[in-house]
Protein backbone atom coordinates (compact mmCIF):
# COMPACT_ATOMS: atom_id res chain seq x y z
CA UNK A 1 0.00 0.00 0.00
CA UNK A 2 1.26 3.48 -0.81
CA UNK A 3 1.10 5.88 2.13
CA UNK A 4 0.35 9.51 1.35
CA UNK A 5 1.59 12.20 3.73
CA UNK A 6 -0.17 15.56 4.16
CA UNK A 7 1.41 18.31 6.26
CA UNK A 8 -0.82 20.72 8.15
CA UNK A 9 0.01 23.67 10.37
CA UNK A 10 -1.80 24.33 13.64
CA UNK A 11 -4.13 27.27 13.34
CA UNK A 12 -4.13 27.34 9.53
CA UNK A 13 -7.00 26.30 7.28
CA UNK A 14 -7.05 22.52 7.08
CA UNK A 15 -10.28 22.06 5.14
CA UNK A 16 -8.71 20.23 2.16
CA UNK A 17 -6.81 17.84 4.41
CA UNK A 18 -10.00 17.21 6.43
CA UNK A 19 -11.92 16.37 3.25
CA UNK A 20 -9.20 14.06 2.03
CA UNK A 21 -8.87 12.25 5.37
CA UNK A 22 -12.65 11.90 5.74
CA UNK A 23 -12.81 10.55 2.17
CA UNK A 24 -10.26 7.84 2.99
CA UNK A 25 -12.22 6.92 6.15
CA UNK A 26 -15.51 6.79 4.23
CA UNK A 27 -14.03 4.43 1.69
CA UNK A 28 -12.96 2.07 4.50
CA UNK A 29 -9.32 3.15 4.67
CA UNK A 30 -6.94 3.91 7.53
CA UNK A 31 -5.70 7.41 8.45
CA UNK A 32 -3.03 8.44 10.96
CA UNK A 33 -4.25 11.70 12.51
CA UNK A 34 -3.05 14.07 15.25
CA UNK A 35 -4.63 14.40 18.68
CA UNK A 36 -3.40 16.38 21.68
CA UNK A 37 -2.11 13.19 23.37
CA UNK A 38 -0.49 10.98 20.71
CA UNK A 39 -1.33 10.31 17.07
CA UNK A 40 -4.09 7.77 16.37
CA UNK A 41 -4.48 5.17 13.59
CA UNK A 42 -8.11 5.75 12.69
CA UNK A 43 -10.84 3.90 10.81
CA UNK A 44 -14.66 3.71 10.74
CA UNK A 45 -15.70 2.36 14.16
CA UNK A 46 -18.93 0.97 12.66
CA UNK A 47 -17.15 -1.24 10.12
CA UNK A 48 -15.55 -4.59 10.99
CA UNK A 49 -13.57 -4.50 7.73
CA UNK A 50 -12.14 -1.04 8.38
CA UNK A 51 -11.33 -1.81 12.02
CA UNK A 52 -9.65 -5.05 10.98
CA UNK A 53 -7.20 -2.95 8.95
CA UNK A 54 -6.12 -1.10 12.10
CA UNK A 55 -5.33 -4.37 13.89
CA UNK A 56 -3.36 -5.50 10.84
CA UNK A 57 -1.43 -2.23 10.43
CA UNK A 58 -0.39 -2.32 14.10
CA UNK A 59 0.03 -6.08 14.48
CA UNK A 60 -2.23 -5.67 17.53
CA UNK A 61 -3.67 -8.71 19.32
CA UNK A 62 -7.42 -8.86 18.63
CA UNK A 63 -8.32 -9.20 22.31
CA UNK A 64 -7.15 -5.62 22.93
CA UNK A 65 -10.04 -3.19 22.20
CA UNK A 66 -9.68 0.24 20.57
CA UNK A 67 -10.74 3.68 21.83
CA UNK A 68 -13.60 5.26 19.86
CA UNK A 69 -13.35 8.99 19.08
CA UNK A 70 -16.31 11.36 18.71
CA UNK A 71 -16.39 14.98 17.53
CA UNK A 72 -18.31 16.41 20.51
CA UNK A 73 -20.24 15.57 23.63
CA UNK A 74 -23.43 15.82 21.56
CA UNK A 75 -22.27 12.85 19.46
CA UNK A 76 -21.51 10.58 22.42
CA UNK A 77 -24.63 8.53 21.69
CA UNK A 78 -23.13 7.51 18.33
CA UNK A 79 -20.59 5.42 20.27
CA UNK A 80 -22.16 4.62 23.63
CA UNK A 81 -25.40 4.11 25.53
CA UNK A 82 -25.24 6.82 28.15
CA UNK A 83 -28.20 5.78 30.30
CA UNK A 84 -27.29 5.50 33.98
CA UNK A 85 -24.11 7.58 33.90
CA UNK A 86 -23.60 11.27 34.52
CA UNK A 87 -22.11 13.06 31.55
CA UNK A 88 -21.86 16.25 33.63
CA UNK A 89 -18.01 16.02 34.07
CA UNK A 90 -17.58 15.73 30.31
CA UNK A 91 -19.14 19.17 29.79
CA UNK A 92 -15.96 20.59 31.31
CA UNK A 93 -13.35 17.93 30.57
CA UNK A 94 -14.14 17.40 26.87
CA UNK A 95 -12.62 17.98 24.45
CA UNK A 96 -9.55 16.73 26.31
CA UNK A 97 -7.27 13.83 27.23
CA UNK A 98 -9.96 11.85 29.06
CA UNK A 99 -11.41 8.56 27.81
CA UNK A 100 -14.48 7.11 29.47
CA UNK A 101 -15.69 3.51 29.73
CA UNK A 102 -19.38 3.16 28.86
CA UNK A 103 -21.94 0.66 27.60
CA UNK A 104 -21.40 0.14 23.89
CA UNK A 105 -23.74 1.34 21.17
CA UNK A 106 -24.55 -1.85 19.19
CA UNK A 107 -23.58 -0.06 15.95
CA UNK A 108 -19.92 -0.02 17.03
CA UNK A 109 -18.03 -2.96 15.51
CA UNK A 110 -17.55 -5.78 18.01
CA UNK A 111 -14.06 -6.29 16.61
CA UNK A 112 -13.33 -2.74 17.78
CA UNK A 113 -14.39 -3.57 21.36
CA UNK A 114 -12.88 -7.08 21.27
CA UNK A 115 -16.32 -8.59 21.88
CA UNK A 116 -16.92 -6.63 25.12
CA UNK A 117 -20.26 -4.93 25.77
CA UNK A 118 -18.39 -1.79 26.83
CA UNK A 119 -16.58 0.84 24.79
CA UNK A 120 -14.00 3.48 25.73
CA UNK A 121 -14.94 6.88 24.23
CA UNK A 122 -12.99 10.08 23.88
CA UNK A 123 -13.37 13.53 22.29
CA UNK A 124 -9.89 14.80 21.38
CA UNK A 125 -8.82 18.40 21.92
CA UNK A 126 -7.54 18.79 18.38
CA UNK A 127 -9.50 20.77 15.80
CA UNK A 128 -8.28 18.70 12.85
CA UNK A 129 -9.28 15.43 14.53
CA UNK A 130 -12.75 16.68 15.44
CA UNK A 131 -13.40 18.21 12.00
CA UNK A 132 -12.30 14.97 10.35
CA UNK A 133 -14.70 12.92 12.51
CA UNK A 134 -17.55 15.34 11.73
CA UNK A 135 -16.84 15.14 8.00
CA UNK A 136 -16.63 11.33 8.10
CA UNK A 137 -20.09 11.13 9.69
CA UNK A 138 -19.27 8.22 12.06
CA UNK A 139 -17.16 7.71 15.20
CA UNK A 140 -13.51 6.86 14.54
CA UNK A 141 -11.78 3.93 16.24
CA UNK A 142 -8.14 4.77 16.89
CA UNK A 143 -5.40 3.23 18.96
CA UNK A 144 -2.05 4.99 19.27
CA UNK A 145 -0.07 5.21 16.02
CA UNK A 146 2.69 2.67 16.48
CA UNK A 147 3.41 -0.98 15.81
CA UNK A 148 2.07 -2.99 18.79
CA UNK A 149 4.58 -3.12 21.66
CA UNK A 150 6.63 -0.15 20.40
CA UNK A 151 6.61 3.36 21.92
CA UNK A 152 3.46 5.28 20.93
CA UNK A 153 3.69 7.73 18.04
CA UNK A 154 3.92 11.33 19.23
CA UNK A 155 5.93 12.68 16.30
CA UNK A 156 4.89 12.41 12.64
CA UNK A 157 8.48 11.79 11.59
CA UNK A 158 8.79 8.68 13.80
CA UNK A 159 5.37 7.47 12.65
CA UNK A 160 6.23 7.70 8.97
CA UNK A 161 9.37 5.64 9.57
CA UNK A 162 7.32 2.98 11.37
CA UNK A 163 4.00 2.89 9.50
CA UNK A 164 4.96 3.79 5.92
CA UNK A 165 3.24 1.30 3.60
CA UNK A 166 0.84 0.10 6.34
CA UNK A 167 -1.72 2.96 6.28
CA UNK A 168 -3.40 5.00 3.51
CA UNK A 169 -2.74 8.50 4.79
CA UNK A 170 -0.68 10.24 7.47
CA UNK A 171 -1.62 13.75 8.59
CA UNK A 172 1.63 15.35 9.74
CA UNK A 173 0.99 18.04 12.34
CA UNK A 174 4.43 17.88 13.96
CA UNK A 175 4.76 16.84 17.59
CA UNK A 176 1.80 16.02 19.87
CA UNK A 177 1.11 18.46 22.71
CA UNK A 178 1.11 16.06 25.68
CA UNK A 179 3.03 13.16 24.14
CA UNK A 180 1.35 10.66 26.47
CA UNK A 181 -2.04 8.96 26.05
CA UNK A 182 -5.35 9.95 27.57
CA UNK A 183 -6.41 8.95 31.07
CA UNK A 184 -9.04 6.19 30.98
CA UNK A 185 -11.76 6.39 33.65
CA UNK A 186 -14.44 3.86 34.59
CA UNK A 187 -17.27 5.99 36.04
CA UNK A 188 -19.57 2.96 36.38
CA UNK A 189 -17.35 1.43 39.06
CA UNK A 190 -17.97 2.37 42.73
CA UNK A 191 -15.83 4.32 43.50
CA UNK A 192 -14.96 5.60 40.00
CA UNK A 193 -11.51 4.41 39.04
CA UNK A 194 -8.66 5.20 36.69
CA UNK A 195 -8.04 2.26 34.35
CA UNK A 196 -4.96 3.79 32.74
CA UNK A 197 -3.07 6.86 34.02
CA UNK A 198 -2.57 9.50 31.36
CA UNK A 199 -2.29 13.18 30.49
CA UNK A 200 -5.00 14.18 33.01
CA UNK A 201 -3.61 13.58 36.51
CA UNK A 202 -5.84 12.14 39.23
CA UNK A 203 -5.65 15.60 40.88
CA UNK A 204 -7.27 17.09 37.73
CA UNK A 205 -10.16 14.62 37.95
CA UNK A 206 -10.99 14.43 41.67
CA UNK A 207 -13.43 17.28 41.66
CA UNK A 208 -15.36 15.78 38.73
CA UNK A 209 -15.35 12.16 39.91
CA UNK A 210 -15.55 12.35 43.72
CA UNK A 211 -13.58 9.61 45.46
CA UNK A 212 -11.83 8.52 42.23
CA UNK A 213 -9.16 5.88 42.83
CA UNK A 214 -6.01 4.97 40.95
CA UNK A 215 -4.85 1.42 41.45
CA UNK A 216 -1.44 0.23 40.42
CA UNK A 217 -1.25 -2.80 38.17
CA UNK A 218 1.98 -4.71 37.67
CA UNK A 219 2.61 -6.87 34.63
CA UNK A 220 3.15 -10.47 35.66
CA UNK A 221 1.08 -10.22 38.86
CA UNK A 222 -1.86 -12.58 39.47
CA UNK A 223 -4.45 -9.80 39.47
CA UNK A 224 -6.81 -9.42 36.57
CA UNK A 225 -5.69 -6.45 34.42
CA UNK A 226 -8.03 -3.45 34.51
CA UNK A 227 -7.89 -3.08 30.73
CA UNK A 228 -7.02 -5.85 28.26
CA UNK A 229 -4.10 -3.69 27.05
CA UNK A 230 -2.41 -3.81 30.45
CA UNK A 231 -1.28 -7.38 30.19
CA UNK A 232 0.99 -6.66 27.25
CA UNK A 233 4.52 -5.29 27.50
CA UNK A 234 4.50 -1.88 25.88
CA UNK A 235 6.36 1.17 24.70
CA UNK A 236 9.61 -0.78 24.34
CA UNK A 237 12.62 0.14 22.26
CA UNK A 238 14.39 -2.80 20.60
CA UNK A 239 17.50 -2.48 22.76
CA UNK A 240 17.46 -3.48 26.44
CA UNK A 241 16.35 -0.58 28.63
CA UNK A 242 16.63 -0.25 32.41
CA UNK A 243 15.28 2.36 34.82
CA UNK A 244 17.20 3.79 37.75
CA UNK A 245 17.31 6.68 40.24
CA UNK A 246 19.59 9.66 39.53
CA UNK A 247 22.03 8.41 42.23
CA UNK A 248 22.20 4.92 40.67
CA UNK A 249 22.76 6.48 37.25
CA UNK A 250 25.63 8.62 38.52
CA UNK A 251 27.26 5.49 40.04
CA UNK A 252 26.76 3.54 36.82
CA UNK A 253 28.19 6.40 34.79
CA UNK A 254 31.38 6.35 36.88
CA UNK A 255 31.80 2.58 36.65
CA UNK A 256 33.56 0.69 33.81
CA UNK A 257 30.38 -0.64 32.29
CA UNK A 258 28.94 2.90 32.24
CA UNK A 259 30.32 3.35 28.72
CA UNK A 260 28.06 0.63 27.31
CA UNK A 261 24.91 2.61 28.12
CA UNK A 262 23.06 5.51 26.53
CA UNK A 263 21.52 7.76 29.23
CA UNK A 264 17.92 8.92 28.79
CA UNK A 265 17.64 11.59 31.45
CA UNK A 266 16.57 15.05 32.55
CA UNK A 267 18.61 18.10 31.62
CA UNK A 268 19.63 18.39 35.29
CA UNK A 269 21.05 14.86 35.49
CA UNK A 270 22.62 15.20 32.05
CA UNK A 271 24.75 18.01 33.49
CA UNK A 272 26.16 15.64 36.11
CA UNK A 273 27.22 12.73 33.91
CA UNK A 274 29.35 12.03 30.81
CA UNK A 275 28.80 9.87 27.78
CA UNK A 276 25.97 9.50 25.32
CA UNK A 277 22.91 11.30 26.64
CA UNK A 278 19.36 11.65 25.27
CA UNK A 279 17.79 14.61 27.08
CA UNK A 280 14.13 14.52 28.07
CA UNK A 281 13.78 18.11 29.30
CA UNK A 282 13.71 19.62 32.76
CA UNK A 283 12.89 17.46 35.78
CA UNK A 284 11.07 20.54 37.13
CA UNK A 285 8.52 20.34 34.31
CA UNK A 286 7.07 16.85 34.00
CA UNK A 287 4.96 17.93 30.99
CA UNK A 288 8.21 18.54 29.12
CA UNK A 289 9.43 15.05 30.11
CA UNK A 290 6.14 13.47 28.94
CA UNK A 291 6.22 15.18 25.57
CA UNK A 292 9.66 13.89 24.64
CA UNK A 293 9.41 10.45 26.29
CA UNK A 294 8.34 8.29 23.32
CA UNK A 295 10.62 9.90 20.74
CA UNK A 296 13.53 9.54 23.21
CA UNK A 297 12.79 5.83 23.67
CA UNK A 298 12.89 5.48 19.88
CA UNK A 299 16.22 7.37 19.66
CA UNK A 300 17.85 4.71 21.81
CA UNK A 301 17.60 2.30 18.89
CA UNK A 302 19.52 4.71 16.66
CA UNK A 303 22.51 5.54 18.86
CA UNK A 304 25.75 3.51 18.99
CA UNK A 305 25.21 1.91 22.42
CA UNK A 306 24.10 -1.65 23.25
CA UNK A 307 21.56 -0.64 25.90
CA UNK A 308 19.99 2.26 27.70
CA UNK A 309 19.15 3.46 31.17
CA UNK A 310 16.34 5.92 31.89
CA UNK A 311 15.90 8.16 34.93
CA UNK A 312 12.83 7.70 37.15
CA UNK A 313 10.54 10.63 37.99
CA UNK A 314 8.32 11.52 40.97
CA UNK A 315 4.92 9.85 40.84
CA UNK A 316 2.81 12.98 41.13
CA UNK A 317 0.67 14.75 38.53
CA UNK A 318 1.50 13.54 35.03
CA UNK A 319 4.53 11.79 36.62
CA UNK A 320 2.23 8.84 37.45
CA UNK A 321 1.60 8.28 33.72
CA UNK A 322 5.29 8.81 32.89
CA UNK A 323 6.35 6.16 35.43
CA UNK A 324 3.60 3.79 34.29
CA UNK A 325 5.06 3.90 30.75
CA UNK A 326 8.68 3.66 31.94
CA UNK A 327 7.92 0.61 34.08
CA UNK A 328 6.34 -1.11 31.08
CA UNK A 329 9.15 -0.20 28.71
CA UNK A 330 12.08 -0.99 31.01
CA UNK A 331 13.37 -3.27 33.78
CA UNK A 332 14.96 -2.16 37.07
CA UNK A 333 18.72 -1.56 36.62
CA UNK A 334 19.43 -4.31 39.19
CA UNK A 335 18.36 -6.80 36.52
CA UNK A 336 20.87 -5.60 33.92
CA UNK A 337 23.50 -8.20 32.98
CA UNK A 338 26.83 -7.58 34.75
CA UNK A 339 29.67 -7.24 32.28
O1 LIG B 1 -4.71 9.24 23.98
C1 LIG B 1 -5.23 8.17 23.63
O2 LIG B 1 -6.03 7.57 24.34
C2 LIG B 1 -4.81 7.61 22.25
C3 LIG B 1 -5.30 8.60 21.19
C4 LIG B 1 -5.05 8.09 19.80
O3 LIG B 1 -6.64 8.90 21.39
N1 LIG B 1 -5.33 6.29 22.05
C5 LIG B 1 -4.86 5.20 22.71
O4 LIG B 1 -5.39 3.98 22.31
O5 LIG B 1 -4.00 5.25 23.56
P1 LIG B 1 -4.74 2.56 22.61
O6 LIG B 1 -5.50 1.60 21.80
O7 LIG B 1 -3.29 2.59 22.40
O8 LIG B 1 -5.11 2.28 24.10
C6 LIG B 1 -6.44 1.93 24.42
C7 LIG B 1 -6.49 1.29 25.80
C8 LIG B 1 -5.97 -0.14 25.79
O9 LIG B 1 -5.22 -0.36 26.97
C9 LIG B 1 -7.25 -0.95 25.82
O10 LIG B 1 -7.07 -2.21 26.43
C10 LIG B 1 -8.19 -0.05 26.61
O11 LIG B 1 -7.86 1.23 26.19
N2 LIG B 1 -9.61 -0.29 26.28
C11 LIG B 1 -10.24 0.02 25.13
N3 LIG B 1 -11.54 -0.38 25.18
C12 LIG B 1 -11.72 -0.94 26.39
C13 LIG B 1 -12.84 -1.55 27.05
N4 LIG B 1 -14.03 -1.66 26.46
N5 LIG B 1 -12.66 -2.01 28.30
C14 LIG B 1 -11.45 -1.89 28.92
N6 LIG B 1 -10.36 -1.33 28.34
C15 LIG B 1 -10.49 -0.88 27.10
MG1 LIG C 1 -1.20 2.22 22.50
Amino acid sequence: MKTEVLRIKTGSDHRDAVDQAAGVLRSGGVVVFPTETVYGIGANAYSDDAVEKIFRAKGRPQDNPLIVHVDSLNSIGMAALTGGISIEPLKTLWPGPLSVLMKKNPLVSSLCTAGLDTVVVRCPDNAFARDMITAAGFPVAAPSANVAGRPSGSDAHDILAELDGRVDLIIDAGRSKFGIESTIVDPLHRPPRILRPGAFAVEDLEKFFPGIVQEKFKIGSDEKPLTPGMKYRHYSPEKPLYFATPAQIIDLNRSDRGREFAYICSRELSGEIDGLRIELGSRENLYEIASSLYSSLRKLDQVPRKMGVIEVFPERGIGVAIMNRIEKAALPLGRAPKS
Side-chain angles (χ1 to χ4, degrees):
M1 165 191 313
K2 173 144 179 31
T3 300
E4 190 173 343
V5 181
L6 276 182
R7 272 193 193 92
I8 59 166
K9 277 209 197 96
T10 351
S12 65
D13 179 22
H14 51 235
R15 190 34 52 197
D16 290 348
V18 163
D19 289 344
Q20 194 169 333
V24 172
L25 293 174
R26 277 199 304 270
S27 64
V30 179
V31 177
V32 170
F33 65 97
T35 84
E36 80 283 27
T37 57
V38 296
Y39 280 77
I41 308 189
N44 181 354
Y46 288 166
S47 158
D48 281 341
D49 285 348
V51 166
E52 223 267 302
K53 292 182 189 163
I54 300 178
F55 282 95
R56 225 182 304 140
K58 272 189 79 111
R60 181 173 175 117
Q62 290 211 348
D63 65 351
N64 192 4
L66 313 178
I67 294 182
V68 174
H69 298 69
V70 294
D71 66 356
S72 65
L73 184 52
N74 289 336
S75 306
I76 193 171
M78 292 173 83
L81 308 177
T82 54
I85 63 157
S86 164
I87 56 162
E88 204 52 37
L90 304 181
K91 292 184 183 162
T92 312
L93 297 169
W94 275 10
L98 173 73
S99 299
V100 188
L101 184 80
M102 285 182 265
K103 285 271 169 249
K104 164 184 181 298
N105 176 326
L107 287 174
V108 172
S109 143
S110 55
L111 197 59
C112 172
T113 56
L116 300 170
D117 61 359
T118 53
V119 61
V120 169
V121 188
R122 148 166 150 80
C123 178
D125 188 14
N126 179 287
F128 178 89
R130 289 197 310 274
D131 289 347
M132 177 190 80
I133 299 165
T134 309
F138 42 71
V140 172
S144 52
N146 52 278
V147 167
R150 299 270 299 144
S152 306
S154 57
D155 186 296
H157 192 259
D158 295 339
I159 294 167
L160 182 62
E162 194 162 302
L163 296 177
D164 193 14
R166 293 175 179 244
V167 298
D168 298 290
L169 177 64
I170 295 178
I171 303 295
D172 174 353
R175 211 185 230 213
S176 316
K177 177 175 155 205
F178 288 106
I180 215 153
E181 294 87 340
S182 62
T183 306
I184 305 181
V185 171
D186 176 1
L188 299 168
H189 190 264
R190 291 284 163 264
R193 59 179 176 179
I194 292 182
L195 299 179
R196 175 182 71 182
F200 263 134
V202 65
E203 297 87 333
D204 301 326
L205 299 174
E206 273 161 347
K207 97 166 172 256
F208 300 96
F209 300 96
I212 192 165
V213 291
Q214 179 161 258
E215 291 149 36
K216 222 174 161 177
F217 172 81
K218 291 259 187 259
I219 293 183
S221 74
D222 295 334
E223 306 154 58
K224 187 175 178 295
L226 292 174
T227 75
M230 276 189 173
K231 63 178 182 282
Y232 296 107
R233 193 152 277 290
H234 261 326
Y235 316 111
S236 306
E238 271 147 38
K239 290 181 189 167
L241 176 66
Y242 302 93
F243 60 83
T245 62
Q248 289 173 311
I249 292 181
I250 291 172
D251 279 350
L252 172 69
N253 188 248
R254 290 182 183 151
S255 72
D256 286 341
R257 63 186 190 122
R259 264 169 295 157
E260 296 170 28
F261 286 80
Y263 297 85
I264 308 180
C265 61
S266 64
R267 188 175 317 133
E268 289 83 357
L269 182 56
S270 175
E272 293 185 62
I273 59 178
D274 310 312
L276 200 155
R277 285 151 292 171
I278 301 170
E279 273 190 26
L280 290 164
S282 172
R283 193 192 268 167
E284 300 304 317
N285 181 355
L286 294 178
Y287 285 96
E288 208 175 301
I289 306 286
S291 82
S292 60
L293 180 65
Y294 291 137
S295 47
S296 302
L297 294 179
R298 281 209 165 77
K299 258 181 222 153
L300 175 63
D301 289 329
Q302 282 140 29
V303 298
R305 290 294 180 278
K306 279 198 294 211
M307 51 199 164
V309 62
I310 185 166
E311 177 179 350
V312 298
F313 293 93
E315 286 185 82
R316 59 174 150 72
I318 199 172
V320 175
I322 294 172
M323 282 312 301
N324 169 272
R325 307 312 192 257
I326 289 178
E327 285 179 5
K328 286 185 186 185
L331 291 168
L333 183 62
R335 289 172 60 184
K338 306 271 179 280
S339 53

